[in-house]
Amino acid sequence: MRRLASSTLAILLLAAQSAAAQPTHRTDAIELRLAPLAAQRARAAGAQPAQARPVAQLGVAAIDALAASLGASGFEPVFRAEVAPLEPDALDLTAYHRVLLPAGTDVAQAVARFAALPEVLEAAPIALGQTTALPDDSLAHQTVWLFRDVMPRHDIRAPEAWAIERGDTSIVVGVIDTGVNGWHPDLGGRGERGNLYVNWAEKAGLPGVDDDGNGYIDDVSGWDFVITAVAGQGGEDIGVEDNDPSDWVGHGTFVAGLVGAIGGNGIGLAGVVPEARVMPLRIGWLASGNTPPNGTVDMSYAAAAIRYATRMGVHVVNCSFTSLTQPSLAAAITLAARAGVVIVSASGNSAGAPAYIGQREE
């Protein structure tokens, strides 16, 4: 891949700014894809730990010097617990890192300066998208999309489909969104997690131990990838990634219900596949100025979530948010598609909404 040219960067930022009223790239971080030798040096210096902890330096002199001159507080890997591939032409996920920048940094200038280094294959701003809008009328919370007794029918004919197939408890759907409220009775039910995914290796393991060796400690019920410094609202959990992918926005819980709400329990609605399991993967938050269910999502977090789902053997991932070009996201989608993961992208409720995931071909 070529480095991001300054003209390409300008087009990317302008397109992102015109797509939504909210800021559409992070102002506190950018993303780098290191050249092979630089990635090797960074790994040797310990910049790709099993746990995705920020490091002060990558161990690559030119990159570290430039980061220091910009006042960067450090680096963090986009993908954790990865190893370099044996094939020379294979995608190397250890090469992707975020540079943590101070507030007020000129992002375009920082990207251009890093892109000029021979140790960097790609440098890019980190794009931010928005959860796709939900209808604001009363019909949004009625299941007319499953079955509507009006001719001609404009529903998905769910009762006819359920007579043939209702999903299977071995099928896991990763909902990559603003999180999911596990206590919701139509998702968590009244028993052991209801229709929500459980990582039994961690559930039966020791607290504080990475029992399944995937780089994520105690990830019993999915993962919360949000670690942005951008302010959330009302005490929202945004300062540290953890094993609690709870929803502060509402959008992810709604989407999870559409996918796999418990059927036949006398409350709420039924999901399209009411026997499948839903894995919550939180990449979005309620940014300052937003109102529920309008969450903001980070494309580098989306990349990490897709990769996590792929490694955990998830069959389908759902991405109900606008999406923009991101080097790490392209890599994660490529490897997911090669692994047979079905990636579902929202078509968008607004004309012209960016939909990189839906338009990408593998």
Side-chain angles (χ1 to χ4, degrees):
M1 270 185 171
R2 298 187 305 271
R3 285 184 226 139
L4 189 66
S6 58
S7 58
T8 305
L9 170 64
I11 292 171
L12 174 60
L13 292 179
L14 287 173
Q17 290 164 358
S18 64
Q22 293 292 328
T24 51
H25 64 277
R26 285 180 62 171
T27 58
D28 64 336
I30 63 173
E31 182 178 287
L32 304 182
R33 180 188 176 200
L34 306 185
L37 182 58
Q40 181 180 342
R41 290 175 181 168
R43 290 193 301 272
Q48 182 63 28
Q51 310 302 326
R53 299 289 184 259
V55 294
Q57 295 184 322
L58 280 184
V60 182
I63 295 176
D64 290 339
L66 177 52
S69 72
L70 294 172
S73 60
F75 304 84
E76 58 187 18
V78 175
F79 306 102
R80 66 166 65 184
E82 296 286 347
V83 296
L86 298 177
E87 302 80 6
D89 296 328
L91 278 170
D92 180 6
L93 296 185
T94 72
Y96 294 85
H97 295 266
R98 299 184 195 98
V99 185
L100 307 178
L101 300 170
T105 299
D106 185 326
V107 171
Q109 184 182 79
V111 167
R113 292 181 66 183
F114 276 107
L117 298 177
E119 292 85 355
V120 175
L121 286 183
E122 290 183 279
I126 296 176
L128 299 177
Q130 299 292 309
T131 52
T132 51
L134 300 175
D136 59 4
D137 55 54
S138 61
L139 294 180
H141 302 285
Q142 299 180 25
T143 57
V144 294
W145 54 84
L146 299 176
F147 171 76
R148 189 178 188 188
D149 190 16
V150 175
M151 295 298 177
R153 286 175 59 183
H154 297 291
D155 57 65
I156 68 171
R157 300 180 182 268
E160 292 91 332
W162 289 337
I164 302 170
E165 178 63 65
R166 293 172 56 86
D168 187 284
T169 57
S170 67
I171 301 298
V172 179
V173 179
V175 174
I176 301 176
D177 213 288
T178 60
V180 174
N181 287 327
W183 44 260
H184 195 293
D186 219 13
L187 291 168
R190 298 182 177 89
E192 183 64 70
R193 298 285 294 170
N195 273 8
L196 295 177
Y197 161 87
V198 177
N199 181 353
W200 292 107
E202 292 287 351
K203 179 73 173 178
L206 297 173
V209 175
D210 183 11
D211 299 286
D212 58 3
N214 69 350
Y216 297 81
I217 294 175
D218 296 337
D219 53 323
V220 174
S221 54
W223 196 256
D224 171 10
F225 294 88
V226 177
I227 192 174
T228 179
V230 178
Q233 299 186 44
E236 183 175 7
D237 173 18
I238 61 169
V240 60
E241 60 171 329
D242 54 36
N243 65 343
D244 179 14
S246 294
D247 185 8
W248 294 70
V249 183
H251 189 276
T253 301
F254 189 97
V255 170
L258 294 177
V259 173
I262 298 170
N265 62 351
I267 61 172
L269 51 82
V272 175
V273 280
E275 299 298 328
R277 294 294 179 259
V278 172
M279 175 191 284
L281 299 169
R282 180 176 179 246
I283 65 164
W285 65 96
L286 191 63
S288 179
N290 275 1
T291 55
N294 299 309
T296 296
V297 295
D298 179 310
M299 295 302 109
S300 68
Y301 298 157
I306 290 174
R307 181 57 182 166
Y308 174 92
T310 302
R311 293 176 61 198
M312 296 301 288
V314 167
H315 302 82
V316 181
V317 294
N318 184 83
C319 305
S320 290
F321 49 86
T322 61
S323 55
L324 299 99
T325 303
Q326 194 72 43
S328 59
L329 183 58
I333 291 172
T334 295
L335 294 179
R338 291 175 182 174
V341 178
V342 176
I343 302 173
V344 179
S345 175
S347 59
N349 293 36
S350 303
Y356 168 73
I357 294 175
Q359 296 166 352
R360 182 175 173 82
E361 295 182 0
E362 294 303 329

